[in-house]
Amino acid sequence: MASTTPRYWLMKSEPEECSIDDALAAPKATVPWVGVRNYQARNFMRDGMRVGDGVLFYHSSCAEPGIVGIARVASGVRADPTQFDAKSPYYDAASKLDAPRWLLVDVQALRKTRVLGLPELRGVPALADMMVLRKGNRLSITPVDAAHWRLIADGLLA
DNA sequence: GCCAACGTTGGC
DNA sequence: GCCAACGTTGGC
């Protein structure tokens, strides 16, 4: 059945590419989530995301990796234009205009938070089974349990 | 810079 | 379809 139950996600961004500050400074605090080049992450956007879903904005590959803000899914999926841009690091020569391989959604930043870093996240027993904390996890988009969302967005980062 | 984990590619 | 080689992610 169709559900209006909010869903929640964690989305990684390298702050040198797009930080929470960059997102908040963008028009309508909204940025196109370019560069996803992993099928599992793409499928989460395509099959799982709805406009309005909650997003934990995460900084990766940086000095202090962790959750740095609260955002929301602000659009449905569409083709990621960078896959067709030969000058882009995200260019994919094998992707066809009439059959785009890579998709994106718009993400609207709602507020910046303190940095909720990996060591602190790992120290909360109730969060132990978060996907992002699993050893070797590389997925840039992961679903977040409602209980985990509440504990983080309404608790640790309230 | 190192390296563990994991995804993709391509020979067979 | 198997699987070794290779590339990428991302924490440390």
Side-chain angles (χ1 to χ4, degrees):
Chain A
M1 69 177 187
S3 172
T4 55
T5 305
R7 300 160 186 250
Y8 306 101
W9 309 92
L10 181 142
M11 299 177 78
K12 295 180 186 174
S13 181
E14 300 187 13
E16 296 198 354
E17 288 288 316
C18 179
S19 70
I20 184 69
D21 290 320
D22 295 333
L24 281 166
K28 300 181 184 175
T30 300
V31 290
W33 207 260
V34 300
V36 172
R37 295 294 181 269
N38 170 283
Y39 289 106
Q40 216 178 332
R42 181 202 67 181
N43 293 348
F44 280 138
M45 289 194 289
R46 185 188 64 193
D47 305 331
M49 284 190 180
R50 304 284 187 277
V51 172
D53 285 359
V55 173
L56 300 173
F57 197 112
Y58 181 98
H59 281 175
S60 66
S61 295
C62 58
E64 204 177 0
I67 297 163
V68 295
I70 304 295
R72 63 187 284 276
V73 176
S75 79
V77 281
R78 65 177 182 278
D80 179 343
T82 63
Q83 71 197 299
F84 303 121
D85 178 0
K87 297 193 186 78
S88 168
Y90 301 124
Y91 179 61
D92 182 352
S95 187
K96 301 288 181 260
L97 269 169
D98 57 356
R101 179 177 293 180
W102 304 114
L103 305 172
L104 61 71
V105 297
D106 289 332
V107 173
Q108 180 178 34
L110 298 177
R111 64 185 171 95
K112 185 179 181 176
T113 65
R114 70 184 177 89
V115 180
L116 178 48
L118 276 183
E120 183 176 355
L121 286 167
R122 293 190 195 283
V124 181
L127 299 177
D129 55 347
M130 279 190 80
M131 281 185 73
V132 74
L133 300 183
R134 280 203 332 223
K135 187 174 181 182
N137 166 70
R138 298 184 311 163
L139 263 185
S140 64
I141 299 176
T142 51
V144 172
D145 292 349
H148 293 160
W149 171 270
R150 283 193 296 272
L151 185 51
I152 293 169
D154 304 331
L156 298 168
L157 297 178

Short mmCIF file of all heavy atoms in Angstrom, two decimals, chain A residues 12 58 61 65 118 138, chain C residues 7-12:
data_model
loop_
_atom_site.label_atom_id
_atom_site.label_comp_id
_atom_site.label_asym_id
_atom_site.label_seq_id
_atom_site.Cartn_x
_atom_site.Cartn_y
_atom_site.Cartn_z
N LYS A 12 26.07 10.82 2.40
CA LYS A 12 27.45 11.28 2.57
C LYS A 12 27.83 12.29 1.49
O LYS A 12 27.51 12.10 0.32
CB LYS A 12 28.42 10.11 2.46
CG LYS A 12 28.30 9.06 3.54
CD LYS A 12 29.32 7.97 3.27
CE LYS A 12 29.16 6.81 4.24
NZ LYS A 12 30.07 5.69 3.89
N TYR A 58 25.91 14.04 6.09
CA TYR A 58 27.14 13.47 6.64
C TYR A 58 28.35 13.94 5.85
O TYR A 58 28.33 13.92 4.62
CB TYR A 58 27.01 11.94 6.57
CG TYR A 58 28.17 11.14 7.12
CD1 TYR A 58 28.14 10.61 8.41
CD2 TYR A 58 29.29 10.87 6.34
CE1 TYR A 58 29.19 9.85 8.91
CE2 TYR A 58 30.35 10.11 6.83
CZ TYR A 58 30.29 9.60 8.11
OH TYR A 58 31.34 8.85 8.60
N SER A 61 35.36 11.60 4.25
CA SER A 61 36.69 11.88 3.70
C SER A 61 37.19 13.24 4.13
O SER A 61 37.58 14.07 3.30
CB SER A 61 36.68 11.78 2.17
OG SER A 61 36.40 10.47 1.76
N PRO A 65 34.91 13.20 10.23
CA PRO A 65 33.72 12.63 9.59
C PRO A 65 32.58 12.46 10.59
O PRO A 65 32.81 12.11 11.74
CB PRO A 65 34.21 11.28 9.08
CG PRO A 65 35.47 10.98 9.79
CD PRO A 65 36.04 12.27 10.27
N LEU A 118 31.98 10.11 14.22
CA LEU A 118 31.93 8.65 14.25
C LEU A 118 32.23 8.07 15.64
O LEU A 118 31.53 7.15 16.07
CB LEU A 118 32.92 8.08 13.23
CG LEU A 118 32.41 7.96 11.80
CD1 LEU A 118 33.48 7.31 10.94
CD2 LEU A 118 31.12 7.16 11.74
N ARG A 138 30.73 1.45 2.58
CA ARG A 138 31.15 2.50 1.65
C ARG A 138 29.95 3.13 0.96
O ARG A 138 30.13 4.03 0.14
CB ARG A 138 32.08 1.93 0.59
CG ARG A 138 33.36 1.36 1.15
CD ARG A 138 34.28 0.92 0.05
NE ARG A 138 33.58 0.08 -0.92
CZ ARG A 138 34.04 -0.19 -2.13
NH1 ARG A 138 35.18 0.31 -2.52
NH2 ARG A 138 33.35 -0.95 -2.94
P DG C 7 43.80 -0.35 -11.85
OP1 DG C 7 44.09 0.38 -13.09
OP2 DG C 7 44.80 -0.44 -10.75
"O5'" DG C 7 42.47 0.24 -11.21
"C5'" DG C 7 41.25 0.20 -11.96
"C4'" DG C 7 40.14 0.79 -11.13
"O4'" DG C 7 39.76 -0.15 -10.10
"C3'" DG C 7 40.53 2.08 -10.41
"O3'" DG C 7 39.45 3.00 -10.55
"C2'" DG C 7 40.76 1.65 -8.96
"C1'" DG C 7 39.79 0.47 -8.83
N9 DG C 7 40.20 -0.54 -7.87
C8 DG C 7 41.44 -1.12 -7.77
N7 DG C 7 41.52 -2.01 -6.82
C5 DG C 7 40.26 -2.01 -6.25
C6 DG C 7 39.74 -2.77 -5.17
O6 DG C 7 40.32 -3.61 -4.48
N1 DG C 7 38.41 -2.45 -4.91
C2 DG C 7 37.68 -1.53 -5.61
N2 DG C 7 36.41 -1.35 -5.22
N3 DG C 7 38.15 -0.82 -6.62
C4 DG C 7 39.43 -1.11 -6.88
P DT C 8 39.53 4.43 -9.89
OP1 DT C 8 38.87 5.35 -10.82
OP2 DT C 8 40.90 4.69 -9.41
"O5'" DT C 8 38.60 4.27 -8.60
"C5'" DT C 8 37.29 3.77 -8.78
"C4'" DT C 8 36.59 3.76 -7.43
"O4'" DT C 8 37.11 2.68 -6.62
"C3'" DT C 8 36.78 5.04 -6.61
"O3'" DT C 8 35.49 5.42 -6.15
"C2'" DT C 8 37.73 4.63 -5.49
"C1'" DT C 8 37.41 3.15 -5.32
N1 DT C 8 38.50 2.30 -4.79
C2 DT C 8 38.22 1.44 -3.75
O2 DT C 8 37.13 1.37 -3.22
N3 DT C 8 39.28 0.66 -3.35
C4 DT C 8 40.55 0.66 -3.88
O4 DT C 8 41.41 -0.09 -3.43
C5 DT C 8 40.78 1.58 -4.97
C7 DT C 8 42.13 1.66 -5.60
C6 DT C 8 39.75 2.35 -5.38
P DT C 9 35.28 6.76 -5.34
OP1 DT C 9 34.04 7.34 -5.88
OP2 DT C 9 36.54 7.54 -5.30
"O5'" DT C 9 35.00 6.25 -3.87
"C5'" DT C 9 34.03 5.26 -3.66
"C4'" DT C 9 34.06 4.85 -2.22
"O4'" DT C 9 35.24 4.07 -1.95
"C3'" DT C 9 34.08 6.02 -1.22
"O3'" DT C 9 33.07 5.75 -0.29
"C2'" DT C 9 35.50 5.98 -0.63
"C1'" DT C 9 35.85 4.51 -0.76
N1 DT C 9 37.27 4.14 -0.89
C2 DT C 9 37.75 3.08 -0.15
O2 DT C 9 37.06 2.46 0.64
N3 DT C 9 39.08 2.77 -0.37
C4 DT C 9 39.94 3.38 -1.24
O4 DT C 9 41.09 3.00 -1.35
C5 DT C 9 39.39 4.49 -1.98
C7 DT C 9 40.25 5.23 -2.93
C6 DT C 9 38.10 4.81 -1.78
P DG C 10 32.49 6.88 0.64
OP1 DG C 10 31.17 6.44 1.12
OP2 DG C 10 32.65 8.17 -0.04
"O5'" DG C 10 33.48 6.83 1.86
"C5'" DG C 10 33.47 5.71 2.72
"C4'" DG C 10 34.65 5.82 3.64
"O4'" DG C 10 35.84 5.44 2.95
"C3'" DG C 10 34.90 7.23 4.19
"O3'" DG C 10 35.11 7.11 5.57
"C2'" DG C 10 36.18 7.66 3.50
"C1'" DG C 10 36.87 6.30 3.39
N9 DG C 10 38.01 6.25 2.50
C8 DG C 10 38.28 7.07 1.44
N7 DG C 10 39.42 6.77 0.84
C5 DG C 10 39.91 5.69 1.56
C6 DG C 10 41.09 4.93 1.39
O6 DG C 10 41.97 5.07 0.54
N1 DG C 10 41.19 3.91 2.33
C2 DG C 10 40.27 3.65 3.31
N2 DG C 10 40.53 2.64 4.13
N3 DG C 10 39.15 4.35 3.48
C4 DG C 10 39.04 5.36 2.58
P DG C 11 34.80 8.24 6.59
OP1 DG C 11 33.35 8.34 6.75
OP2 DG C 11 35.57 9.44 6.25
"O5'" DG C 11 35.40 7.58 7.88
"C5'" DG C 11 35.12 6.21 8.16
"C4'" DG C 11 36.33 5.56 8.79
"O4'" DG C 11 37.35 5.35 7.78
"C3'" DG C 11 36.99 6.39 9.89
"O3'" DG C 11 37.35 5.50 10.93
"C2'" DG C 11 38.21 6.99 9.21
"C1'" DG C 11 38.58 5.90 8.21
N9 DG C 11 39.28 6.41 7.03
C8 DG C 11 38.88 7.44 6.22
N7 DG C 11 39.70 7.66 5.23
C5 DG C 11 40.71 6.73 5.40
C6 DG C 11 41.87 6.49 4.62
O6 DG C 11 42.26 7.08 3.61
N1 DG C 11 42.63 5.43 5.14
C2 DG C 11 42.30 4.71 6.26
N2 DG C 11 43.15 3.73 6.60
N3 DG C 11 41.21 4.91 6.98
C4 DG C 11 40.46 5.94 6.50
P DC C 12 37.68 6.04 12.38
OP1 DC C 12 37.26 4.98 13.29
OP2 DC C 12 37.17 7.41 12.52
"O5'" DC C 12 39.26 6.10 12.37
"C5'" DC C 12 39.99 4.86 12.30
"C4'" DC C 12 41.41 5.16 11.93
"O4'" DC C 12 41.49 5.62 10.58
"C3'" DC C 12 42.04 6.28 12.76
"O3'" DC C 12 42.73 5.71 13.87
"C2'" DC C 12 43.02 6.94 11.79
"C1'" DC C 12 42.74 6.26 10.45
N1 DC C 12 42.66 7.22 9.32
C2 DC C 12 43.68 7.19 8.36
O2 DC C 12 44.60 6.39 8.49
N3 DC C 12 43.62 8.06 7.32
C4 DC C 12 42.61 8.91 7.22
N4 DC C 12 42.59 9.74 6.18
C5 DC C 12 41.56 8.96 8.19
C6 DC C 12 41.63 8.10 9.22
#
